[in-house]
Amino acid sequence: MISRRHTWFEGWRLLAVLTLSLLALSFWIASMRQFEVEGVRVVIRFTARSSLLLFCLAFGAAALARLWPNAWTRWQRRNRRYLGLSFAVSHAIHAVAIVVFARMDPAGFAEATSPASYIFGCIGYAMIMAMSATSFDCTAALIGPRAWRTLHLVGGYYLWIQFMVSFGKRVPAMPAYAAFLIPLLAVMALRMIAMTRHPRGQAIAAG
């Protein structure tokens, strides 16, 4: 029998703890800069990185559980839905910080963005909202398993590409940003290996 201690940090509790932690850390980061523009920009960078981490944990959960079944990967696979929802929360905070930045410093915001970033960013957020809305049994059943797999497959790979572009374009000016590409490349490699070993594993493709 699995002890309660080993199952407490799961499901909705996991989502609640991660949500409260992200909110508290974002508030603390902004407060360290007196809630001025620079503090908001630091929150944007922080939530971009927390979103990257949570996305990779959710995106690679099924592949890791197939390739290296152990207590951690089974926990990660069981909680993939809540890690994905935590990623959505992180990116929602990211969006709020961007809006605040645009209002506080319109000139700086215009300099930091482009029409392409608006278009692809909006598509990304539309994907996140659709995937989050269908992360529940009732809504997943409404659209059916085939549509669910297609949405989460296309959405997952689109977001992966968007993260690669968002972090990768900063590497020439800031080489340290290459470190953020490592988990993205690693999780994609794991998914490819898992699909090669389990070609009929649609759960991996959609996860």
Side-chain angles (χ1 to χ4, degrees):
M1 180 177 178
I2 299 175
S3 70
R4 187 177 298 275
R5 180 179 60 186
H6 292 153
T7 60
W8 187 91
F9 195 53
E10 299 199 31
W12 293 110
R13 292 191 185 96
L14 171 64
L15 176 59
V17 170
L18 289 175
T19 296
L20 291 173
S21 299
L22 288 165
L23 288 169
L25 285 169
S26 297
F27 183 86
W28 176 72
I29 290 168
S31 70
M32 293 294 289
R33 304 294 180 94
Q34 290 76 48
F35 299 100
E36 295 179 352
V37 173
E38 185 54 34
V40 174
R41 298 192 72 165
V42 175
V43 171
I44 291 172
R45 291 193 290 271
F46 163 70
T47 50
R49 296 165 190 179
S50 61
S51 293
L52 170 66
L53 172 61
L54 291 164
F55 171 79
C56 287
L57 287 173
F59 196 53
L64 277 170
R66 288 290 186 96
L67 295 172
W68 292 289
N70 55 53
W72 161 256
T73 57
R74 285 191 289 270
W75 175 92
Q76 186 180 353
R77 177 65 180 82
R78 284 196 308 274
N79 290 282
R80 180 179 61 174
R81 172 188 301 183
Y82 305 99
L83 291 168
L85 289 171
S86 298
F87 154 69
V89 170
S90 176
H91 234 49
I93 299 171
H94 183 72
V96 170
I98 290 174
V99 171
V100 173
F101 171 43
R103 288 180 175 274
M104 293 179 69
D105 185 9
F109 176 76
E111 184 180 353
T113 56
S114 66
S117 66
Y118 278 114
I119 295 169
F120 293 110
C122 287
I123 294 172
Y125 272 103
M127 290 288 189
I128 293 170
M129 288 188 288
M131 293 168 72
S132 298
T134 55
S135 290
F136 306 93
D137 294 340
C138 58
T139 50
L142 283 175
I143 66 171
R146 178 175 294 182
W148 185 91
R149 283 194 297 269
T150 301
L151 170 62
H152 285 255
L153 177 66
V154 173
Y157 281 105
Y158 179 87
L159 293 171
W160 183 86
I161 292 170
Q162 194 169 40
F163 273 119
M164 284 291 295
V165 172
S166 296
F167 284 95
K169 69 183 182 182
R170 291 172 171 78
V171 172
M174 294 174 283
Y177 265 75
F180 295 110
L181 303 182
I182 295 173
L184 289 166
L185 294 172
V187 77
M188 182 59 72
L190 288 170
R191 288 175 65 90
M192 295 300 104
I193 294 169
M195 283 193 287
T196 300
R197 294 187 182 181
H198 304 274
R200 296 175 65 85
Q202 293 186 2
I204 293 176

